[in-house]
Amino acid sequence: MAKLNGSKKIKTAVFISGRGSNLINLIKFSLKKNSPIRIELIISDNSKAKGLIYSKRYNIKKKIYLFKKRNIAENKILDKLRNKKIKLICLAGFMKILSKNFIKKFRGKILNIHPSLLPKYKGLNTHERVIKNNEKFSGCTVHFVNSKLDSGKIILQKKIKINKNETANTLAKKVLRQEHILYLKALKKLYC
Ligand code: GAR
């Protein structure tokens, strides 16, 4: 995608399933003058996602699509994205796996943040598995989304040391703080 030129910001949709700390981080960033993105749409598969409160607070349109039938939900989402001329998708704690067909339509334009040092610990319950395996380090990764789970080209990673008494909870908090920094760094690297 072309880098940002002048005042034209990239129309972006953020997909969430839960709390939305990465969402609010992206929103605050997007409001800065030098940010390359403008968030035009929040999409969720979960009507109870806590992060949806930021829609009202920041006056950003939200849409909920229950993924009972994935292809139906995805086709509706694709219509909406086309309609709003969305050029970039940021997954931010979005817990559904998007189909090959969907990803093809936005090739190279879907980013994700994952709370591990990919390719290690793809999938769910990352921190629990990391602690169980007595890893010395963990971290987070921003990557492009391709058709294989958590496997697209890596844009940036941040490595974090694991302390002796670390629990999955304390690690999750530490990693999350770094996620917020890393996602913005990745966007600047790609589009500024
Ligand atoms: C974040 O830790 C994010 O990396 C993770 O879910 C959390 C969402 O938190 N995403 C994944 O595990 C995706 N495979 P948030 O809702 O506060 O941003």
Side-chain angles (χ1 to χ4, degrees):
M1 192 184 301
K3 296 216 171 191
L4 185 69
N5 183 12
S7 61
K8 253 190 139 204
K9 294 193 178 198
I10 302 161
K11 292 185 183 204
T12 302
V14 182
F15 287 29
I16 64 166
S17 296
R19 174 181 54 189
S21 76
N22 276 290
L23 168 65
I24 181 65
N25 182 55
L26 290 169
I27 292 175
K28 285 185 176 163
F29 171 65
S30 74
L31 295 173
K32 294 195 171 149
K33 196 164 164 249
N34 295 329
S35 156
I37 61 164
R38 184 167 67 240
I39 299 173
E40 301 256 326
L41 186 61
I42 299 165
I43 284 183
S44 184
D45 60 311
N46 172 13
S47 61
K48 294 198 169 69
K50 287 210 173 104
L52 288 171
I53 54 164
Y54 300 121
S55 154
K56 205 167 179 190
R57 200 172 291 171
Y58 288 89
N59 198 21
I60 301 169
K61 204 168 164 41
K62 69 163 191 273
K63 289 291 280 181
I64 293 146
Y65 300 92
L66 304 175
F67 272 57
K68 282 189 181 148
K69 290 213 165 137
R70 182 171 72 175
N71 66 326
I72 294 176
E74 286 188 343
N75 284 335
K76 286 184 183 165
I77 294 174
L78 284 169
D79 276 350
K80 191 78 198 165
L81 296 175
R82 255 181 242 122
N83 178 264
K84 304 249 329 153
K85 299 192 165 57
I86 298 294
K87 299 288 184 261
L88 177 69
I89 296 172
C90 291
L91 304 184
F94 185 67
M95 295 307 188
K96 287 284 186 295
I97 295 172
L98 295 165
S99 70
K100 273 186 190 165
N101 175 57
F102 185 97
I103 291 164
K104 215 166 68 190
K105 301 258 165 59
F106 269 81
R107 200 191 291 281
K109 295 172 185 169
I110 311 178
L111 310 182
N112 183 39
I113 185 136
H114 185 76
S116 79
L117 291 173
L118 292 174
K120 291 179 107 178
Y121 299 100
K122 298 172 183 176
L124 297 175
N125 306 318
T126 323
H127 305 303
E128 286 79 358
R129 289 185 284 137
V130 164
I131 295 292
K132 215 172 165 188
N133 287 347
N134 286 316
E135 294 282 1
K136 297 277 175 287
F137 294 94
S138 189
C140 47
T141 305
V142 178
H143 65 97
F144 287 107
V145 172
N146 69 6
S147 56
K148 287 196 194 126
L149 180 67
D150 297 328
S151 297
K153 186 171 179 248
I154 291 172
I155 300 159
L156 280 178
Q157 281 187 318
K158 173 74 183 178
K159 195 171 175 182
I160 291 166
K161 198 171 172 334
I162 297 177
N163 294 329
K164 270 201 194 121
N165 300 322
E166 203 84 68
T167 64
N169 257 338
T170 60
L171 180 60
K173 281 187 189 145
K174 261 163 65 172
V175 171
L176 191 66
R177 273 200 295 276
Q178 295 305 321
E179 288 183 37
H180 295 161
I181 297 166
L182 197 71
Y183 219 150
L184 307 191
K185 262 195 185 167
L187 287 165
K188 287 185 205 154
K189 179 180 172 186
L190 291 171
Y191 307 121
C192 282

